[in-house]
Amino acid sequence: MLRVGVESRKGIEMKDFLLSAACNGRRPHGVGSGRRVARPRLMQKLMGERGVARFLVAPTGFGKSSLALQYAEEIMGLTHVWWIDADDPCFLRDLDNGRIRETVSGLAGEGQLAVFDDVPYLDEERSQAFSGIVDDLLERGWEVIAATCPPYDSFSERQSDRVYVGASDFLLDDAELAAYEHAAPAADLRDSERIGALVWGGARETDAFLKGVAMDGMPAEMQLAVFVMLVLQDGVFEDVAMFAKPLKQDVRSFLGAGFPYAGMDLTDECFSSCRLSIAQLVEVFGSRLDRLAAASVHANKDVLVMRLAGELMRKGRHARACDLVSVACGRRRRSVWLEEHQDALFTTCSLVEAQRVFASLGEHPVKLKPAILVHAALRCALLGDVCRAVELAARVLGQSSADRECKMAAALLCHLDAGGRYFRKGRDHLVASKIVSSAGSLDADDAVAALAAPSESQGCGHGGGATKGAACLDPRQRVVLYALAVVLSVPGGESDSPELRRAACSIIERLSSFGSEPDLAEALLFTAVSSARAMAADPSCLPLLSPARIEKIDELMDRLNAQRHMGEAKRPDSSRISGTGVFLPDPGNCGNEGFERLPGHAGCGSSGIILPGAPECRSGFIEAPAFANELIPPLYVRLFGGMEVWMGDRQIDPRSFTKQKAKTLLAVLVLHGAQEVPRRRVMDIMWPKLVGDSAINNFYSMWSVLRHALALEDGKCPYLVKQQASCMLDRRYVTSDVDRFDEFCRKLLFEKPDASEWSEIYMAMSRMYAGDLLPSEMKNEYIMAMRTQLRGRLVDALVAAGGNLLDEGEPQVALWFIRSAIDHDDGREDVYRTLIRAQIMTGQRAAAIESYLHCRKVLHERYGMEVSRETQALYDSLVMVGA
């Protein structure tokens, strides 16, 4: 059958419409065009009773049409098969006027198969009419298969004898998962995730499944219940009852059977739903949230979202809660929610998540309460953006509505700029003056005094084991405690002050006496006072804590270090802190489920965090909870002079990349600095002439090849990250020679020259830059443009280094850099001019004249230009000395 558009079918009789549904050995247009995987278990069920109607009832994306097509191909050979697109408006039109039944009665009998695909909702009258057509076909010896979604199934129960294949039947079993090589191991998938579109479907199938999740035509109460379960992901039915009105038992049974992705367990009255991201859920339900809220116990959409996020916070799903608020809640309500939960986000070290919500308020948010700004400053300082932290603290000091504790905390944070590193001139100088005056009137000693005395409203006592230590303080005291902890722990703060260290020790002992779990504030204070430098200054200033408590403090600091490392690795230049805000990693990379602890080894920092671009780390291993109980070898990618890929100490066989495009895809991801790359951008680079499904299919094909080439022995690939609309390399595990190249270039361009150190850099760059970027790639315009760009960047760095060394009186070392620059580009006048300077300084007059003449020749022959006045002046000075 060829599905003809509605417009082209105007005026065509029903008989012609039905006759056009004959397959005649051909696949129905638009059906089964994606990946197909055998389903022998379901095929056996369809063949069990061929003389009765067979109904396939499951949501979109479960594989109803694919199963019917597989049956039509393998059993019928697509001959004597009539594939009727019931989703076509002509179907309902002619069902109503009786032409379908009239036409069917005139068709040949026995040995025929009628497939009614995508049957829409049929009311009582239409359902009875359709059942009559099914009865007529069965009486004439036809086989009948009808496929529909659970909300639209109003006709299957009218058949006393039938084969019913429900949504739960379509879930993939272990054998079907094992038959597909790219599927996740069965043990890693919950039942609610064993859906064909999610396991082996491409982008189109996944999008179709997500659209079906919204369940058009369903009552809002049912939609709301499913939405709540998909957001919370795990819980009991009482959790759903906090948002949706109570559901009757028959409704629960219907949802549990018809929508397995909700993961409902009717016996234990709990749920464990499919792992859909907040971005996917908002894309599907976003336009329906007002309608869902009206059906909930909360009349307002923002209130519903805030309550859901609050429940996620209670369950410890901080990252997911922040994602939900950031994308589904209005700005004013967002700030209210952040103010309510920022304490918990800080004490549990969910800094990146909280900062994501703050960033969603705008790059320069206004009309925010001082408490929100103070907490944002605290997070920025801990995540490495001290400039932004001081800027936000200065805003708090300038607000008359700020209470004494907020100003005290802001003043403490201003100690991070004691040297005036961030505000130096112009308007910023005025800000600096304000900081100095405010910080002088409210200094760290005031903060310590405020924390030293117990609060009258504390009301926690020593039995507050259910709360965090800092939570046992007065709410206004807590922000001062946080600021003190940050200032003591951040480099450049007040950790060298003996008075503050002693005060911190007394605060730690006081917090630990509450008997509660340590929080981030206590962890920061303890780390600061127990550092090697602090202990050397005052060995007696170390609070006595139990080993178990110290171990939990270490866990918190590991999480903080992981968040810091992720932010630094994503910045274009981690040596220079941006003033616009801290980098916010992708939600999928920094949840509250755990952060990576990277054991220290050669080439790594003392904290165990891998230093980006350090080749010494290549032979180490990384332990990550995302791949529990496994050691992940770092991946090193070499692009200069040709591609080489090393997994730990083992070089990956180039033949593993069965297609050249897979190597190009890896190079594209490396060249983007392991940053998130939109999928559309990748497709434009790789297949600029393709559009639509062709480009998408090519992308997923190459992604599969690349993932297979970089897979570990168990088939998992931790190095590649693919999200709904983007992809990237996981910087925690991947380094490249391009990373080292950028680091060397920055040193040569911006740092003060050091002849001995730069000689080593020169040798390292010579070894690393073994040739141009991927010299064998001669078709991809992006790679060729990057090749030219990197070569130009190299020459710029070499010339700058040579000039700086000449200024420092090191002409011999400078000649190494300059001659190397000419080897890579012999057509730049600035390179020759620097070479002539070096030759003059080393007494090579004849060589300098020869260099000038060669430069003039190159410029004239290649570009039709004459040398500049500056170069001519160098030559004239040579001639004058000779005269």
Side-chain angles (χ1 to χ4, degrees):
M1 179 203 77
L2 293 177
R3 294 190 182 185
V4 184
V6 177
E7 294 184 1
S8 65
R9 197 179 281 137
K10 288 182 178 179
I12 297 181
E13 294 294 329
M14 179 60 210
K15 182 177 181 180
D16 296 325
F17 164 61
L18 194 60
L19 291 177
S20 69
C23 291
N24 297 323
R26 297 172 299 179
R27 282 188 180 186
H29 178 67
V31 179
S33 57
R35 181 183 294 110
R36 297 189 49 220
V37 179
R39 307 293 300 272
R41 173 177 55 88
L42 297 182
M43 283 288 290
Q44 185 176 7
K45 190 168 185 177
L46 289 183
M47 294 183 64
E49 295 184 70
R50 299 176 63 178
V52 300
R54 285 155 289 181
F55 298 102
L56 313 181
V57 184
T60 305
F62 277 60
K64 304 185 299 294
S65 299
S66 297
L67 178 63
L69 180 61
Q70 184 179 348
Y71 182 88
E73 281 186 321
E74 296 182 6
I75 307 303
M76 309 293 294
L78 286 177
T79 58
H80 307 295
V81 174
W82 305 76
W83 195 281
I84 299 148
D85 180 13
D87 194 41
D88 192 303
C90 292
F91 173 78
L92 290 179
R93 180 197 66 188
D94 293 295
L95 178 65
D96 292 342
N97 59 30
R99 288 186 180 178
I100 293 182
R101 193 164 191 172
E102 176 186 343
T103 305
V104 165
S105 63
L107 296 176
E110 294 191 8
Q112 311 281 328
L113 170 64
V115 178
F116 295 90
D117 194 20
D118 287 337
V119 179
Y121 174 73
L122 305 177
D123 59 21
E124 181 70 20
E125 184 177 351
R126 285 174 171 172
S127 177
Q128 185 173 355
F130 180 68
S131 296
I133 294 172
V134 172
D135 289 336
D136 289 348
L137 289 172
L138 294 174
E139 288 175 4
R140 295 172 57 81
W142 283 53
E143 296 185 40
V144 177
I145 295 177
T148 189
C149 294
Y152 303 153
D153 180 21
S154 59
F155 47 83
S156 67
E157 291 185 352
R158 293 179 179 272
Q159 300 293 321
S160 56
D161 293 326
R162 62 174 182 165
V163 171
Y164 185 91
V165 184
S168 298
D169 298 314
F170 278 97
L171 295 178
L172 308 178
D173 60 20
D174 291 351
E176 290 166 333
L177 285 172
Y180 182 60
E181 59 177 345
H182 298 297
D188 294 344
L189 286 178
R190 51 178 61 192
D191 290 343
S192 57
E193 295 174 315
R194 295 171 175 245
I195 300 168
L198 298 182
V199 174
W200 57 54
R204 184 170 57 183
E205 289 80 7
T206 302
D207 290 344
F209 165 73
L210 291 174
K211 290 179 182 177
V213 167
M215 302 180 297
D216 288 332
M218 287 283 290
E221 292 81 2
M222 294 187 186
Q223 287 188 9
L224 174 63
V226 174
F227 173 69
V228 170
M229 286 185 280
L230 290 173
V231 169
L232 298 181
Q233 293 186 333
D234 293 286
V236 295
F237 288 171
E238 284 79 2
D239 297 338
V240 182
M242 292 189 299
F243 306 94
K245 297 175 182 178
L247 300 177
K248 296 180 180 179
Q249 188 61 42
D250 58 339
V251 175
R252 291 185 182 183
S253 300
F254 172 72
L255 292 178
F259 306 95
Y261 50 76
M264 299 175 66
D265 186 333
L266 300 181
T267 302
D268 294 337
E269 296 192 339
C270 61
F271 61 90
S272 182
S273 68
C274 179
R275 281 338 197 212
L276 297 178
S277 70
I278 291 297
Q280 291 172 320
L281 292 176
V282 171
E283 181 180 358
V284 172
F285 288 98
S287 60
R288 299 171 170 84
L289 283 180
D290 285 321
R291 178 171 176 260
L292 298 184
S296 73
V297 296
H298 309 290
N300 183 276
K301 178 196 76 171
D302 285 347
V303 175
L304 171 63
V305 171
M306 291 172 65
R307 294 291 184 267
L308 278 170
E311 181 63 16
L312 287 169
M313 287 288 296
R314 189 186 67 81
K315 294 175 178 288
R317 305 295 305 279
H318 300 164
R320 193 167 179 86
C322 292
D323 291 342
L324 179 62
V325 170
S326 297
V327 299
C329 203
R331 184 183 183 279
R332 186 177 67 84
R333 297 278 191 170
R334 218 178 304 152
S335 64
V336 171
W337 185 89
L338 180 60
E339 184 180 14
E340 180 181 352
H341 294 280
Q342 59 189 1
D343 256 3
L345 292 169
F346 184 91
T347 55
T348 56
C349 196
S350 303
L351 307 179
V352 172
E353 295 85 343
Q355 199 66 358
R356 191 181 303 126
V357 180
F358 180 77
S360 71
L361 300 176
E363 185 173 348
H364 300 288
V366 296
K367 296 183 179 179
L368 293 181
K369 292 185 178 180
I372 296 179
L373 296 176
V374 168
H375 269 271
L378 293 169
R379 295 189 295 267
C380 286
L382 287 178
L383 292 173
D385 200 343
V386 182
C387 177
R388 178 69 164 160
V390 175
E391 176 191 333
L392 292 171
R395 287 178 56 182
V396 174
L397 293 175
Q399 290 189 5
S400 58
S401 59
D403 58 30
R404 179 177 176 79
E405 283 73 15
C406 277
K407 288 190 174 182
M408 197 175 293
L412 280 169
L413 291 173
C414 290
H415 282 273
L416 297 175
D417 194 35
R421 290 171 292 172
Y422 303 110
F423 302 101
R424 297 185 178 179
K425 59 184 179 179
R427 182 182 63 84
D428 288 342
H429 180 70
L430 299 177
V431 178
S433 300
K434 181 189 297 183
I435 290 174
V436 172
S437 61
S438 299
S441 60
L442 292 168
D443 59 16
D445 293 333
D446 295 326
V448 174
L451 291 171
S455 171
E456 294 180 1
S457 60
Q458 193 166 292
C460 178
H462 298 282
T467 60
K468 296 292 183 183
C472 292
L473 296 174
D474 181 90
R476 294 189 302 175
Q477 286 181 314
R478 289 200 294 266
V479 70
V480 183
L481 172 64
Y482 302 155
L484 179 63
V486 170
V487 170
L488 283 169
S489 61
V490 171
E494 296 290 333
S495 58
D496 289 332
S497 169
E499 293 78 11
L500 286 184
R501 285 201 305 274
R502 290 194 181 91
C505 289
S506 65
I507 293 171
I508 294 171
E509 292 174 352
R510 180 182 171 202
L511 293 176
S512 62
S513 68
F514 291 133
S516 57
E517 294 288 328
D519 57 20
L520 181 59
E522 182 178 342
L524 291 171
L525 289 171
F526 182 81
T527 302
V529 300
S530 62
S531 65
R533 185 172 59 178
M535 291 299 296
D538 190 357
S540 64
C541 190
L542 181 64
L544 297 177
L545 300 180
S546 67
R549 195 171 188 85
I550 294 177
E551 182 180 355
K552 292 179 180 179
I553 286 176
D554 288 341
E555 292 176 0
L556 281 168
M557 293 306 297
D558 286 341
R559 171 178 285 184
L560 175 60
N561 286 333
Q563 295 199 38
R564 284 171 171 168
H565 171 63
M566 288 161 51
E568 288 293 324
K570 298 294 183 179
R571 289 187 191 144
D573 182 357
S574 59
S575 64
R576 179 177 181 273
I577 298 175
S578 167
T580 59
V582 68
F583 172 81
L584 302 177
D586 186 85
N589 293 338
C590 53
N592 285 82
E593 291 72 23
F595 285 92
E596 293 66 26
R597 182 170 186 172
L598 314 180
H601 49 79
C604 295
S606 60
S607 63
I609 299 302
I610 286 186
L611 302 177
E616 296 83 4
C617 294
R618 211 171 66 187
S619 62
F621 287 87
I622 302 170
E623 184 178 358
F627 298 84
N629 301 321
E630 297 177 11
L631 294 177
I632 301 174
L635 195 75
Y636 180 81
V637 184
R638 173 189 166 191
L639 297 182
F640 291 119
M643 177 176 283
E644 289 182 4
V645 183
W646 292 79
M647 187 179 291
D649 288 331
R650 177 180 66 87
Q651 183 178 359
I652 294 179
D653 189 343
R655 291 173 295 182
S656 300
F657 300 91
T658 55
K659 295 185 179 181
Q660 176 65 30
K661 285 281 190 180
K663 297 171 66 176
T664 305
L665 175 58
L666 177 58
V668 169
L669 297 177
V670 170
L671 291 170
H672 278 81
Q675 294 183 354
E676 185 176 354
V677 189
R679 188 178 64 191
R680 182 73 262 170
R681 166 71 172 158
V682 174
M683 291 189 292
D684 290 342
I685 290 173
M686 301 282 293
W687 303 278
K689 296 182 181 180
L690 297 182
V691 296
D693 290 346
S694 298
I696 294 175
N697 292 338
N698 281 341
F699 169 79
Y700 279 99
S701 175
M702 288 305 104
W703 185 268
S704 179
V705 172
L706 181 58
R707 186 180 183 278
H708 183 74
L710 302 180
L712 302 176
E713 292 182 0
D714 60 359
K716 298 177 183 178
C717 181
Y719 310 108
L720 301 176
V721 179
K722 178 165 66 67
Q723 299 167 357
Q724 182 67 16
S726 64
C727 55
M728 63 185 296
L729 297 175
D730 195 328
R731 187 59 174 265
R732 296 172 296 179
Y733 314 130
V734 184
T735 59
S736 71
D737 54 353
V738 177
D739 297 330
R740 295 290 286 168
F741 172 84
D742 289 336
E743 179 183 342
F744 287 148
C745 287
R746 285 195 297 270
K747 283 181 175 292
L748 298 179
L749 285 168
F750 303 115
E751 292 188 4
K752 183 177 178 62
D754 182 304
S756 60
E757 179 186 358
W758 283 21
S759 298
E760 295 177 3
I761 291 177
Y762 172 81
M763 299 302 296
M765 289 191 74
S766 300
R767 291 192 301 268
M768 181 190 60
Y769 198 94
D772 280 338
L773 179 80
L774 294 182
S776 62
E777 179 59 75
M778 301 303 295
K779 295 182 179 180
N780 189 281
E781 294 182 0
Y782 173 80
I783 297 295
M784 292 189 290
M786 288 300 297
R787 182 184 303 146
T788 302
Q789 178 181 329
L790 291 176
R791 188 194 305 132
R793 193 183 306 170
L794 172 66
V795 175
D796 289 340
L798 293 171
V799 174
N804 291 335
L805 286 166
L806 289 177
D807 294 338
E808 293 293 322
E810 296 286 349
Q812 291 293 346
V813 180
L815 278 172
W816 296 354
F817 290 88
I818 301 166
R819 285 173 177 155
S820 180
I822 289 181
D823 290 339
H824 291 98
D825 191 344
D826 64 348
R828 286 178 48 165
E829 184 183 7
D830 59 336
V831 181
Y832 286 104
R833 186 164 58 245
T834 310
L835 175 61
I836 294 170
R837 284 183 58 202
Q839 289 170 336
I840 292 174
M841 292 180 67
T842 55
Q844 304 177 44
R845 292 184 64 254
I849 293 173
E850 184 177 348
S851 297
Y852 165 79
L853 295 176
H854 185 69
C855 174
R856 187 173 66 176
K857 179 181 178 182
V858 169
L859 292 178
H860 180 73
E861 292 181 354
R862 292 188 189 178
Y863 312 115
M865 299 171 56
E866 297 297 328
V867 297
S868 66
R869 294 180 181 178
E870 190 175 357
T871 305
Q872 185 65 43
L874 281 175
Y875 174 73
D876 291 342
S877 66
L878 282 169
V879 175
M880 292 293 293
V881 172

